[in-house]
Amino acid sequence: MTELATDLHPNKALAHHFTDMPQQREAVTLGMWLFLATEVMLFGAIFLAYTVYRHQYFDSFRAAGGHLFVSFGTINTCVLLTSSLMMALAVHAAHQGDSKKIVRYVLLTILFGAIFLGIKMTEYVIDTREGLVPLNGWWKAQSPDLRVDREMRLFFVFYFTMTLLHAIHMTIGMAILAVIAWFAHRKRFSAEDYNPVDVTGLYWHFVDIVWVFLFPALYLVHPEMHLFK
Amino acid sequence: MSSIPYYPAAERPQTYLNWSYRVKSWLFTRDHKRIAILYMLSITLFFFIGGAAAVVMRLHLLTPDGTLVQADTYNRLFTLHGVVMVFFFLIPSIPAVLGNFLIPLMIGAKDLAFPRLNLASWYFYMVGGLCAVIALVAGGVDTGWTFYTPYSSIYSNTNVVWAIAGIFLAGFSSIFTGLNFIVTMHKMRAPGMTWFKMPLFCWSHYATSIIQVLATPVVAITLVLVIIERVFHAGIFDPSLGGDPVLFQHMFWFYSHPAVYIMVLPGMAVVSEIIPCFARKPIFGYSFIAFSSVAIAVFGFLVWGHHMFVSGESMYSALIFSALSFSVAIPSAVKVFNWTATLYKGSISSATPMLYALGFIGLFTMGGLTGLFLATLGIDVHVHDTYFIIAHFHYIMVGGAVMAYLGGLHFWWPKITGRMYPEFMGKISAFIIFLGFNLTFFPQFLLGYLGMPRRYHSYPPEMQVLNVLSSAGASILAVGYLLPLGYFIWSLRYGKIAPTNPYLATGLEWQTTSPPPPENFDVPPIVTEGPYRYDLMVSQLGTPLIAEGARIQTTGSAVK
């Protein structure tokens, strides 16, 4: 629509179809909350499936949970919550229109996200060595009882599906954050126009909260979970 | 309102259609009206692909032993028909075409809240649609549109993964559309356009959008799980690995039952606009119709279990799902009664859109009432997975949603294209569709009650008469659908130039030119009156104004 005369709006940050900045800001924020609602339903459905089998195969799921590394999970929870803190600081800096601080805190957010993914990868590698990947040829029998072994395998199907889905969300989030950092570096944002930082922050916090639910559901189900296995 | 002068091409006022003719200006447009046109063209394509599959099936079922196609091909045909019609025609039809075009106009906005997201939704839809259709046509898929496990995850040797991937992608388009509508209606209404001054078209689309946003992600993750299941033999839905196939049914229908309301609520949206216009009366029970849309969306989320009455569901949950399914009838009936009460003592004219709207009310009522039969546990066990079900949901989907879509297309055709459709041909094809539809699907109620199962490629010889009737109806229906395709295209060049408000309808969309300018309104509108104030629209003699559409038919004169 660049050819239209009406596109030549005095305020470049304001899209042509909004009347003023508050309207645009409210619309974008509501849009992100709705998107997060779809994400809740997406993760909710798989949490539901997990809960069904956790209820059905209570003992096997508890035993399977004992094979996870609570130490890694705990450290990762701390790392991710710290990245959320950095994101909150970036949003705060955006509200004040301080571009330098936005760049700094967004990069820190990405850094902590990367540490999280690095630890997660390490964990996957160890899981693979222990034969916990529920694929034909990869899975090693975890119990002499075939039925229990089958049920423990199902636990790991959920473990990998859910944590990978979460990791995909984090990777997308980090890519968006990189763009945000670039924009902030180019002084795209101001104290009046910080919407993209704001809503990306909402998304990032949401992804963190998903982990806050994943962590107890997967790692802490074993009765004698050991912090350092 | 009454006439627009003839302009030489160079001096014609700028509209959303003529400001640029370059291909790029269409493929990268962020104008909701142009995106609606993109959707309209692609949806029409998918409709005729799905329709062609139905025609072959009905031809095959002319004879009991089915000689036209082999059993395997028949399985692929009904899957093609179901997947294309549900996911690539019905779900996007009215929201993505008419909703996209009209919602900003109706609430006096310049565009939807997120124009880029709107364009992205069309691309997701197209990539998903082509992916699925190629999988369905080249090689085919034989699971049925429901992809029940473990058949889809283990036993079927067809292109299930590609078809599912296509549906997954199209899911994004549905979510984006719904999200856009909700934000637009919350934040972009013109000054004075309060919630209760919004046309009911918007209310219905609001309810639809809630379902699109909240239900689609569930089927998305479910389909991803089926792909994981199929590719990696994960076992979530595989009993031999400890999984539960019925869990798939729960997760699938948690989306796919509310999806039925994604298809029919927008139909109700269209009918709520057409009825008052051609009855020349304010709509009866505005707030009841508005809230019944929301009620249908809410109840719709609580009834998915009625698809599993014979899947080993416990008696108590079946009872509760049965009762909840009955409760959906209440808001649906509220709407039907309010529409008929609007007709009461109205100056009813029989323009083409009105014929479709009246057809909708009758056929939707039939479909809805037979839905109550199916919510009844005992009867459901008897007719489950028979042609009774097929007939029931085609009365809702085709008799309801498609009739409303066609009615809406006729009603807003002058606004969308700036040309009138030929009224006489419109009426003829509306009658043909109504007749053809009933002849096709009414015998299927009887067939189902007699016990003919769905998805079978052959049947006992004593059921042939009813099957022949149904196939004959399908051929009439096909003619009925081809006619509008023909005369709509014809009207683009030869149709009469449409005035701003050919039906003397209320609503902001009728106050801007036909077709609208790129930014919808030359002067930003300010709303002072509620919708449907047909009682205020009287001529100087004090008699109610009758819609122009009706006048065309009685006098045969041009709308100039």
Side-chain angles (χ1 to χ4, degrees):
Chain A
M1 302 274 292
T2 41
E3 283 93 318
L4 287 180
T6 41
D7 244 5
L8 301 171
H9 218 285
N11 184 350
K12 265 168 78 180
L14 181 64
H16 76 98
H17 56 294
F18 291 112
T19 45
D20 50 25
M21 288 304 280
Q23 187 192 30
Q24 172 167 320
R25 190 157 52 233
E26 285 174 21
V28 172
T29 309
L30 178 61
M32 180 47 86
W33 278 107
L34 279 169
F35 175 72
L36 295 185
T38 72
E39 292 276 33
V40 168
M41 297 306 286
L42 184 89
F43 280 101
I46 195 161
F47 268 101
L48 168 98
Y50 170 81
T51 311
V52 167
Y53 292 121
R54 158 128 170 86
H55 176 74
Q56 207 167 348
Y57 307 135
F58 193 75
D59 294 327
S60 306
F61 266 45
R62 285 217 302 194
H67 286 275
L68 295 178
F69 299 91
V70 182
S71 49
F72 279 136
T74 313
I75 295 167
N76 252 351
T77 309
C78 296
V79 169
L80 207 51
L81 289 179
T82 313
S83 89
S84 253
L85 173 66
M86 294 303 133
M87 190 69 235
L89 290 172
V91 170
H92 184 69
H95 285 218
Q96 294 180 327
D98 187 340
S99 289
K100 267 191 183 164
K101 275 190 180 168
I102 300 179
V103 176
R104 184 194 309 157
Y105 287 123
V106 166
L107 288 179
L108 279 171
T109 312
I110 297 176
L111 177 69
F112 280 103
I115 294 173
F116 176 94
L117 289 181
I119 295 176
K120 196 83 214 123
M121 289 293 203
T122 317
E123 214 184 326
Y124 282 154
V125 171
I126 300 173
D127 290 337
T128 313
R129 286 209 194 121
E130 295 204 351
L132 295 172
V133 180
L135 297 177
N136 291 340
W138 296 57
W139 175 257
K140 291 183 193 133
Q142 301 292 327
S143 162
D145 184 342
L146 268 180
R147 190 184 57 79
V148 173
D149 183 58
R150 204 180 67 179
E151 291 164 8
M152 287 174 74
R153 186 179 175 274
L154 200 55
F155 174 88
F156 279 95
V157 169
F158 279 104
Y159 165 75
F160 278 102
T161 312
M162 292 164 99
T163 52
L164 276 172
L165 190 64
H166 177 254
I168 291 170
H169 276 81
M170 283 196 61
T171 314
I172 295 170
M174 285 158 66
I176 299 170
L177 282 171
V179 176
I180 294 282
W182 175 249
F183 279 173
H185 177 68
R186 301 291 305 268
K187 304 271 188 291
R188 258 281 315 268
F189 306 119
S190 64
E192 288 75 44
D193 173 31
Y194 49 79
N195 241 340
V197 190
D198 230 18
V199 294
T200 312
L202 283 177
Y203 174 79
W204 190 259
H205 295 315
F206 169 80
V207 177
D208 280 8
I209 290 170
V210 171
W211 177 260
V212 169
F213 281 88
L214 279 174
F215 176 56
L218 296 170
Y219 288 78
L220 305 183
V221 289
H222 192 258
E224 303 130 30
M225 48 170 200
H226 18 194
L227 212 49
F228 300 101
K229 196 173 66 168
Chain B
M1 176 155 70
S2 53
S3 70
I4 63 165
Y6 177 79
Y7 294 96
E11 292 167 29
R12 274 178 203 158
Q14 199 184 43
T15 72
Y16 81 99
L17 289 168
N18 71 7
W19 70 266
S20 171
Y21 291 101
R22 284 182 301 165
V23 175
K24 220 182 98 184
S25 77
W26 279 93
L27 289 182
F28 297 108
T29 182
R30 278 174 268 150
D31 181 350
H32 66 104
K33 300 181 289 299
R34 285 195 164 200
I35 296 168
I37 301 283
L38 292 176
Y39 261 117
M40 184 196 289
L41 297 175
S42 30
I43 275 164
T44 308
L45 172 74
F46 285 115
F47 177 75
F48 282 99
I49 292 174
V55 167
V56 179
M57 282 193 289
R58 277 323 315 172
L59 280 175
H60 174 86
L61 291 173
L62 266 175
T63 51
D65 49 354
T67 46
L68 186 62
V69 295
Q70 289 177 326
D72 267 349
T73 315
Y74 188 82
N75 294 343
R76 285 164 171 76
L77 281 171
F78 68 66
T79 308
L80 169 68
H81 174 71
V83 169
V84 170
M85 286 303 203
V86 169
F87 295 108
F88 301 107
F89 174 70
L90 284 164
I91 297 258
S93 60
I94 297 179
V97 178
L98 297 174
N100 229 338
F101 194 97
L102 292 165
I103 285 174
L105 285 167
M106 283 181 164
I107 64 170
K110 285 183 184 167
D111 205 322
L112 288 173
F114 308 117
R116 272 194 220 108
L117 195 67
N118 198 18
L119 180 64
S121 92
W122 182 73
Y123 278 102
F124 270 103
Y125 168 77
M126 283 312 282
V127 173
L130 293 177
C131 182
V133 165
I134 290 169
L136 290 159
V137 174
V141 177
D142 60 0
T143 59
W145 76 278
T146 46
F147 298 108
Y148 268 24
T149 55
Y151 188 61
S152 62
S153 53
I154 301 173
Y155 299 108
S156 173
N157 296 316
T158 52
N159 302 330
V160 178
V161 170
W162 286 104
I164 286 183
I167 295 169
F168 178 79
L169 287 175
F172 283 99
S173 94
S174 192
I175 291 174
F176 291 168
T177 304
L179 193 152
N180 232 331
F181 286 177
I182 294 180
V183 175
T184 306
M185 279 184 252
H186 270 280
K187 298 294 175 196
M188 314 264 306
R189 301 190 310 277
M193 176 60 80
T194 60
W195 281 93
F196 291 95
K197 282 192 183 129
M198 281 203 311
L200 290 166
F201 186 91
C202 298
W203 273 96
S204 245
H205 272 84
Y206 188 83
T208 310
S209 304
I210 291 174
I211 305 175
Q212 283 178 307
V213 166
L214 293 183
T216 316
V218 176
V219 83
I221 193 71
T222 310
L223 294 177
V224 169
L225 290 180
V226 173
I227 292 182
I228 291 176
E229 196 63 12
R230 201 174 159 81
V231 177
F232 300 113
H233 305 287
I236 296 174
F237 302 127
D238 179 1
S240 68
L241 292 173
D244 184 356
V246 179
L247 180 66
F248 169 83
Q249 297 184 23
H250 278 286
M251 293 169 76
F252 177 80
W253 288 114
F254 183 85
Y255 165 76
S256 295
H257 192 81
V260 172
Y261 303 111
I262 299 180
M263 304 175 208
V264 81
L265 273 169
M268 297 166 160
V270 169
V271 171
S272 301
E273 296 301 308
I274 296 176
I275 295 280
C277 175
F278 294 99
R280 311 309 299 167
K281 270 184 68 190
I283 195 132
F284 187 87
Y286 170 90
S287 51
F288 273 85
I289 298 185
F291 283 117
S292 64
S293 294
V294 180
I296 287 174
V298 174
F299 286 149
F301 272 108
L302 306 174
V303 301
W304 79 90
H306 67 217
H307 294 270
M308 280 154 282
F309 284 162
V310 297
S311 304
E313 194 171 53
S314 87
M315 186 177 74
Y316 299 103
S317 50
L319 270 175
I320 287 169
F321 277 124
S322 169
L324 285 168
S325 304
F326 281 122
S327 70
V328 182
I330 298 167
S332 309
V334 164
K335 281 177 184 291
V336 170
F337 290 136
N338 278 304
W339 291 325
T340 40
T342 307
L343 294 175
Y344 178 67
K345 288 193 173 170
S347 327
I348 298 172
S349 55
S350 60
T352 310
M354 186 63 159
L355 293 180
Y356 281 110
L358 294 175
F360 175 97
I361 296 179
L363 299 178
F364 171 74
T365 305
M366 286 270 295
L369 288 176
T370 48
L372 294 183
F373 297 14
L374 294 167
T376 314
L377 286 169
I379 296 178
D380 185 72
V381 171
H382 178 61
V383 295
H384 187 90
D385 262 354
T386 67
Y387 267 77
F388 193 90
I389 302 272
I390 305 292
H392 154 70
F393 74 71
H394 279 85
Y395 264 77
I396 302 282
M397 308 282 87
V398 186
V402 179
M403 292 284 269
Y405 177 60
L406 284 170
L409 265 191
H410 284 85
F411 189 56
W412 284 290
W413 192 254
K415 187 52 66 184
I416 295 172
T417 64
R419 299 284 180 157
M420 298 302 293
Y421 60 87
E423 183 67 30
F424 178 73
M425 289 300 287
K427 283 184 182 167
I428 294 283
S429 59
F431 276 114
I432 291 177
I433 289 174
F434 187 80
L435 282 178
F437 171 81
N438 280 297
L439 190 55
T440 309
F441 292 105
F442 195 82
Q444 296 188 4
F445 277 125
L446 306 177
L447 281 169
Y449 194 76
L450 293 173
M452 179 165 165
R454 68 191 288 193
R455 295 177 172 171
Y456 275 33
H457 81 298
S458 60
Y459 53 86
E462 57 266 33
M463 290 178 175
Q464 192 175 8
V465 174
L466 288 169
N467 269 296
V468 169
L469 282 178
S470 181
S471 294
S475 62
I476 297 174
L477 197 53
V479 173
Y481 287 143
L482 286 170
L483 277 176
L485 182 70
Y487 66 70
F488 272 146
I489 295 171
W490 176 88
S491 76
L492 292 178
R493 194 172 174 84
Y494 303 103
K496 297 176 192 97
I497 303 278
T500 298
N501 190 357
Y503 314 106
L504 303 180
T506 61
L508 289 181
E509 80 269 29
W510 299 110
Q511 291 180 19
T512 188
T513 49
S514 311
E519 295 220 318
N520 291 349
F521 298 95
D522 292 329
V523 184
I526 295 172
V527 182
T528 50
E529 280 299 331
Y532 314 115
R533 294 310 304 269
Y534 288 98
D535 50 336
L536 298 179
M537 274 191 141
V538 288
S539 73
Q540 287 162 343
L541 295 171
T543 49
L545 285 170
I546 305 247
E548 201 83 29
R551 212 186 300 164
I552 300 169
Q553 190 259 330
T554 46
T555 63
S557 68
V559 187
K560 261 282 194 168

